[in-house]
């Protein structure tokens, strides 16, 4: 690569040292996005030490011998890009990106920054497993310019962690988060509720423990059992049952009330944040702006076309190594399809959909496009409409997946 484009950890740290500390809001960030020019990129890192029984993500476990081939293929997949492409958000997801060694992460960053550069006002996120975060690795991530970490904690209950096949213990979380936040304050925790054997009191204790850490962002997900996972086979064999829907709903409703009381605002179906700490990268997805996607299973949205790479890590590797396209599926959305998709994603956001902006951007009046679906859910108390917006009610959030089907 040209000398000027070569990644330098020291130079990058110096360049980014003056970046802002998430002082503005996500809505302000959205105002600077361009609906035609992508300003976000996602890199999928598909490696883990262990595949948890509930996980159906694109990943391989105990296959570290493939990491160098993956990095070679990633360099090849990005080789046709130019240089100096500016990004407002950059997200490294997985798998577990922090499973890579510092040397391997350094090469990954070299590949990325041979084509991309971060805007002065940027968000650079990485997903992490708690036990991967040694002091040296945390310091490296900080020096590399990462300013947001999404940590897969899942629970503060030892029995629940064992059931979920996590490799950390509750007492370790506090020490790791404290060390992480001394370097990167914008830390998010992922938590799972509605786990077999979990009580409402147990869920309350997990949320209370998370809040005690003064975390600025939390993501809460109800446990789902996907076909193809080991949990699917175990559930089918009658080895466990999921909690009743009523209990799962009580857990969700408690999170809404409790987290709001402590200043973590509900800004998306599964996400809560202090003002200014909303995940900017995910807001790009939910508001229908374009983005790049690299790696196995990664999706992109460019020039109105959605593409997804092969989910099989081996297939993705073989296709890239052979000089073939890694894309498994692609679709160019018609105007009405784009508008309906925008409704589905837009309703996930607690701010809802601005009717005037929707019409200006997509060319459809919201009511003319989906009058029946809107009226049905308004009458059921699942949607509410203000002078400017259409959005889910709290009750609607519990049934969001079934509500959005009405808009297809």
């Amino acid at each position: 690569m040209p000398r000027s484009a070569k990644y330098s950890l020291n130079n990058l740290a110096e360049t980014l040292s003056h970046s802002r500390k998430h002082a503005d809001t996500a809505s302000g960030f959205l105002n600077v996005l361009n609906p035609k020019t992508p300003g976000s990129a996602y890199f999928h890192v598909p490696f883990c030490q262990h595949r948890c029984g509930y996980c159906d993500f694109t990943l391989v476990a105990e296959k570290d011998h493939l990491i160098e081939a993956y990095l070679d293929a990633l360099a090849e997949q990005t080789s046709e890009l130019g240089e100096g492409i500016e990004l407002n958000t950059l997200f490294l997801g997985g798998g577990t990106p922090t499973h890579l060694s510092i040397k391997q992460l350094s090469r990954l960053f070299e590949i990325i920054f041979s084509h991309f550069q971060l805007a002065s006002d940027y968000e650079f996120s990485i997903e992490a497993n708690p036990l991967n975060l040694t002091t040296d690795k945390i310091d490296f991530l900080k020096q590399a310019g990462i300013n947001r970490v999404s940590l897969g904690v899942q629970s503060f209950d030892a029995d629940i962690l064992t059931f979920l096949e996590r490799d950390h213990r509750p007492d370790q979380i506090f020490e790791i988060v404290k060390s992480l936040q001394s370097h990167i304050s914008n830390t998010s925790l992922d938590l799972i509720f509605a786990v077999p054997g979990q009580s409402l009191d147990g869920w309350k204790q997990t949320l209370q423990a998370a809040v005690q850490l003064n975390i600025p962002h939390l993501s809460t997900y109800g446990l789902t059992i996907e076909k193809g996972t080991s949990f699917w086979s175990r559930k089918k064999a009658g080895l466990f049952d999921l909690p009743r829907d009523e209990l799962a709903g009580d857990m969700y409703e408690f999170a809404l009330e409790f987290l709001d009381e402590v200043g973590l605002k509900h800004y998306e179906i599964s996400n809560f944040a202090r003002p200014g700490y909303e995940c900017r990268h995910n807001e790009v997805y939910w508001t229908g702006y374009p983005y790049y996607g690299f790696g196995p299973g990664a999706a992109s949205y460019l020039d109105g076309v959605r593409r997804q790479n092969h989910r099989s890590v081996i297939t993705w590797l073989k296709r890239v190594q052979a000089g073939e396209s890694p894309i498994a599926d692609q679709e160019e959305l018609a105007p009405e399809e784009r508008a309906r998709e925008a409704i589905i994603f837009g309703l996930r956001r607690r701010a809802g959909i601005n009717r005037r902006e929707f019409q200006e951007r997509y060319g459809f009046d919201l009511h003319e496009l989906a009058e029946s679906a809107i009226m049905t859910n308004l009458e059921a108390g699942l949607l509410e409409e203000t002078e400017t917006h259409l959005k889910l009610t709290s009750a609607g959030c519990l049934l969001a997946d079934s509500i959005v089907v009405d808009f297809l």
Side-chain angles (χ1 to χ4, degrees):
M1 74 188 66
R3 185 178 184 86
S4 62
K6 187 170 178 61
Y7 171 81
S8 166
L9 183 58
N10 292 332
N11 289 344
L12 181 64
E14 182 178 349
T15 299
L16 302 180
S17 62
H18 63 281
S19 73
R20 66 123 175 100
K21 307 221 180 256
H22 292 262
D24 64 344
T25 64
S27 59
F29 158 70
L30 293 174
N31 290 335
V32 306
L33 297 182
N34 187 319
K36 295 184 179 180
T37 304
S40 297
Y42 173 81
F43 283 79
H44 190 75
V45 185
F47 298 97
C48 283
Q49 182 63 36
H50 166 74
R51 179 186 284 276
C52 298
Y54 58 87
C55 179
D56 72 334
F57 293 161
T58 297
L59 64 87
V60 287
E62 300 182 23
K63 300 283 187 183
D64 290 6
H65 62 283
L66 295 175
I67 293 177
E68 292 304 321
Y70 158 79
L71 292 170
D72 289 342
L74 200 61
E76 181 62 30
Q77 192 190 352
T78 59
S79 63
E80 295 183 1
L81 294 170
E83 296 178 11
I85 302 170
E86 188 170 88
L87 296 177
N88 297 299
T89 73
L90 174 59
F91 198 106
L92 309 183
T96 309
T98 55
H99 179 69
L100 272 59
S101 68
I102 289 176
K103 182 179 179 181
Q104 290 163 341
L105 283 169
S106 185
R107 186 174 175 218
L108 173 61
F109 295 155
E110 179 179 322
I111 292 167
I112 293 171
F113 290 109
S114 64
H115 302 287
F116 296 104
Q117 65 182 28
L118 295 171
S120 60
D121 187 11
Y122 75 97
E123 178 189 86
F124 185 4
S125 302
I126 191 169
E127 292 182 338
N129 186 52
L131 295 189
N132 294 140
L133 292 179
T134 62
T135 301
D136 286 346
K137 191 166 287 185
I138 292 172
D139 185 62
F140 171 80
L141 297 177
K142 171 67 174 180
Q143 292 300 313
I146 286 174
N147 61 6
R148 184 178 185 276
V149 177
S150 179
L151 199 59
V153 167
Q154 314 310 359
S155 180
F156 286 83
D157 182 302
D159 291 338
I160 297 300
L161 287 171
T162 297
F163 180 85
L164 294 174
E165 302 177 3
R166 304 299 294 173
D167 60 1
H168 57 271
R169 301 292 91 198
D171 59 316
Q172 294 173 308
I173 299 170
F174 294 95
E175 181 180 349
I176 291 166
V177 171
K178 183 178 179 180
S179 177
L180 177 60
Q181 288 201 295
S182 69
H183 291 72
I184 304 171
S185 61
N186 189 7
T187 297
S188 175
L189 302 186
D190 283 358
L191 301 174
I192 296 179
F193 65 93
V195 180
Q198 186 180 41
S199 67
L200 179 57
D201 283 343
W203 173 236
K204 290 179 179 180
Q205 290 168 13
T206 277
L207 288 176
Q208 290 163 351
V211 166
Q212 289 173 9
L213 289 168
N214 197 31
I215 293 295
H217 189 285
L218 285 176
S219 298
T220 64
Y221 303 104
L223 180 65
T224 57
I225 309 300
E226 303 293 344
K227 191 172 183 178
T229 64
S230 66
F231 273 25
W232 176 275
S233 301
R234 290 171 58 188
K235 184 176 184 299
K236 198 171 182 180
L239 298 180
F240 67 79
D241 290 310
L242 291 174
R244 295 175 294 104
D245 288 345
E246 293 82 359
L247 177 56
D250 289 343
M251 291 179 175
Y252 184 72
E253 289 180 335
F254 176 79
L256 296 183
E257 297 171 5
F258 173 70
L259 295 177
D260 181 72
E261 290 174 358
V262 298
L264 289 160
K265 301 304 179 184
H266 188 210
Y267 75 99
E268 191 271 345
I269 293 292
S270 302
N271 289 278
F272 304 79
R274 302 194 187 283
Y277 285 87
E278 299 87 351
C279 179
R280 289 177 161 204
H281 187 83
N282 285 341
E283 290 274 25
V284 170
Y285 298 151
W286 299 325
T287 52
Y289 285 94
Y291 54 89
Y292 298 97
F294 303 98
S300 64
Y301 182 43
L302 305 169
D303 299 320
V305 179
R306 294 204 178 279
R307 299 176 178 86
Q308 182 168 25
N309 290 338
H310 281 274
R311 291 197 63 187
S312 165
V313 176
I314 300 301
T315 299
W316 178 84
L317 277 171
K318 287 181 177 178
R319 291 184 69 88
V320 175
Q321 289 168 343
E324 300 173 355
S325 171
I327 297 170
D329 297 293
Q330 72 176 45
E331 178 185 17
E332 183 170 5
L333 300 179
E336 183 173 331
E337 291 173 324
R338 289 183 64 236
R340 291 187 181 279
E341 182 182 81
I343 296 174
I344 292 169
F345 283 118
L347 286 177
R348 292 193 64 87
R349 302 175 69 238
R350 295 300 285 122
I353 302 168
N354 183 298
R355 298 199 310 272
R356 178 182 57 79
E357 292 179 359
F358 180 89
Q359 183 163 5
E360 289 176 354
R361 186 169 172 189
Y362 296 101
F364 291 90
D365 176 83
L366 195 55
H367 271 272
E368 290 180 0
L369 183 64
E371 178 72 11
S372 176
I374 292 172
M375 296 310 299
T376 296
N377 288 286
L378 283 173
E379 291 169 4
L382 303 177
L383 286 178
E384 62 178 308
E385 192 165 27
T386 68
E387 291 183 2
T388 58
H389 286 72
L390 180 73
K391 58 185 178 180
L392 292 174
T393 62
S394 294
C397 289
L398 289 166
L399 300 170
D401 288 344
S402 59
I403 293 170
V404 297
V405 172
D406 295 339
F407 290 89
L408 293 176

